[in-house]
Amino acid sequence: MDSQKSTKVGIKDVSEAAGVAISTVSHVLNGTAPISDEVRERVLDAARRLGYLAKRQQKGAIASLTTVYLAVPPGNLPHNDLNLVSWTLLTSLTKECKRRNIKLVLHGTGEELNATDIIAGAKAAGASGIILVYDDRPKLLKSLTNSGIPVVLLNGEDPSMSVDTVIPANRYAGRLATEWLLDRGHRRILHLTWRGRSTIKRRLNGFFDAYSERGLPETLGEVLYADSFEPAEAQKALRRFLAERGGMDGCTAIFCASDNLAMGALTALKDAGVKIPDDVALVGFDGVALGDLTHPPLTTISVPLSELAALAVQTLENRLSILGMKHPPCRIELGCQLIERGSGGGIIAR
């Protein structure tokens, strides 16, 4: 169905598609009368297929959410190969706001984010709410909460639960990647990461969760820290590990906390003559780098960045139009998927 046709869908179309009276559709959508489960599901299915539910929702967004103020740490704004996650997320946010006819205003300072400037900028823009990306410093979050302006933290973690949060299920995804490797017979797995934000630490937590769940000693897993998420730093860290240990020291797989790290690991392993996946299996995390173009193609955890962006806007709308400011903050986590490619290899004999 094209977008032009979908905008003309009305309650009559839903009633015809569901085979019920218009009044029945109205009762189902507004909850104004008891309707059987079978009829209710039929009406909702028709309304969903025809795009009528999305249309009703968008009308609410236009009424309550007209302008969004977007605050992003300046280091995440440059458009380059290292910031593919950030730019995919920001591009998705831009597209979602455009689709909903919501004005998106970017916080323009090149300095570290601070609450005073963000609040002043949001008020000057006449923003209905603020979307804060990545920056989950407790002091900043507390100050923004006290502003009275609805805030959604996107791809960050708020232990105090003071603002609404939309985030990938990092701990679950770290466990998913590690379990996948354990299922294939690997036991000594190296987790290549960096001392990043709490979201990165959750991937480390998930790494050890997988061992614990299988009743395996956590000491089988080893952690190697790079100085940052940049591929060059991953190369340095892994080269140092290989030199000090005289090889992989029994590790048959590497789970990297980002695709950037995996790219660096790929180079370091090749330079050392280590074959992937014959000698070592390699798994990344993010799913936005050109993993299908590497040699071998990179097995990775795919993060639903577009869906995260859309949910951030939706969560802000819900706060404004449905929940209100007094409702407790919510935390939404989206599951991630593992994309199997050549670098992960097959099942190994033990």
Side-chain angles (χ1 to χ4, degrees), residues 17-350:
V20 299
I22 292 177
S23 59
T24 302
V25 175
S26 178
H27 288 316
V28 169
L29 298 180
N30 296 304
T32 51
I35 303 292
S36 71
D37 290 342
E38 187 274 330
V39 172
R40 181 177 181 277
E41 286 303 315
R42 200 162 77 237
V43 169
L44 289 177
D45 179 65
R48 193 177 297 112
R49 283 188 291 103
L50 294 173
Y52 185 73
L53 289 182
K55 179 182 175 183
R56 280 171 60 109
Q57 191 174 66
Q58 288 175 34
K59 282 184 176 181
I62 293 171
S64 61
L65 186 58
T66 56
T67 302
V68 170
Y69 197 69
L70 177 63
V72 187
N76 295 102
L77 287 174
H79 190 182
N80 54 46
D81 289 344
L82 299 181
N83 272 347
L84 288 176
V85 171
S86 296
W87 270 90
T88 302
L89 200 59
L90 297 178
T91 299
S92 298
L93 265 175
T94 301
K95 289 180 178 179
E96 181 65 15
C97 286
K98 184 176 181 180
R99 186 182 72 83
R100 292 173 177 250
N101 197 29
I102 298 170
K103 183 179 180 182
L104 186 64
V105 178
L106 179 64
H107 183 61
T109 180
E111 303 175 354
E112 182 180 70
L113 297 180
N114 69 82
T116 301
D117 289 344
I118 293 174
I119 294 167
K123 289 181 177 178
S128 311
I130 298 169
I131 293 181
L132 175 66
V133 185
Y134 295 127
D135 200 334
D136 49 14
R137 288 172 293 149
K139 185 177 179 180
L140 175 63
L141 294 174
K142 183 177 180 180
S143 297
L144 290 176
T145 302
N146 294 334
S147 71
I149 303 174
V151 178
V152 172
L153 174 61
L154 175 58
N155 208 15
E157 189 167 291
D158 175 21
S160 67
M161 286 291 290
S162 59
V163 299
D164 293 326
T165 303
V166 177
I167 190 173
N170 288 291
R171 186 163 186 160
Y172 154 79
R175 174 176 165 174
L176 174 66
T178 310
E179 286 183 336
W180 186 83
L181 289 168
L182 292 173
D183 284 343
R184 277 150 183 76
H186 299 280
R187 290 298 178 265
R188 290 272 290 123
I189 302 171
L190 181 67
H191 181 45
L192 179 55
T193 186
W194 76 102
R195 301 185 191 279
R197 299 176 297 111
S198 55
T199 53
I200 306 305
K201 296 176 184 176
R202 297 297 162 258
R203 299 172 190 181
L204 173 61
N205 295 147
F207 173 69
F208 285 119
D209 285 346
Y211 279 102
S212 178
E213 182 66 23
R214 301 295 178 91
L216 296 170
E218 290 187 0
T219 51
L220 287 173
E222 187 165 352
V223 182
L224 176 63
Y225 287 98
D227 287 342
S228 77
F229 66 90
E230 298 180 11
E233 295 301 331
Q235 289 182 45
K236 290 179 185 178
L238 192 52
R239 282 171 179 163
R240 186 166 56 247
F241 178 91
L242 291 168
E244 291 175 353
R245 304 291 183 90
M248 287 301 299
D249 196 21
C251 294
T252 59
I254 304 175
F255 164 41
C256 300
S258 74
D259 284 350
N260 277 335
L261 291 183
M263 295 301 176
L266 194 65
T267 301
L269 292 170
K270 286 184 176 180
D271 290 347
V274 179
K275 296 179 181 179
I276 307 168
D278 295 344
D279 299 328
V280 174
L282 184 66
V283 176
F285 196 112
D286 288 330
V288 296
L290 301 179
D292 55 341
L293 299 181
T294 61
H295 183 71
L298 181 65
T299 295
T300 189
I301 294 291
S302 177
V303 179
L305 296 170
S306 296
E307 290 82 358
L308 287 168
L311 263 176
V313 178
Q314 182 62 51
T315 301
L316 196 54
E317 177 200 335
N318 290 346
R319 174 65 58 185
L320 286 163
S321 61
I322 301 174
L323 300 179
M325 293 299 290
K326 293 184 179 181
H327 192 279
C330 66
R331 174 188 174 100
I332 301 174
E333 289 193 3
L334 291 189
C336 305
Q337 293 182 324
L338 188 137
I339 307 299
E340 295 186 34
R341 298 193 184 107
S343 73
I347 295 176
I348 65 172
R350 296 213 62 84

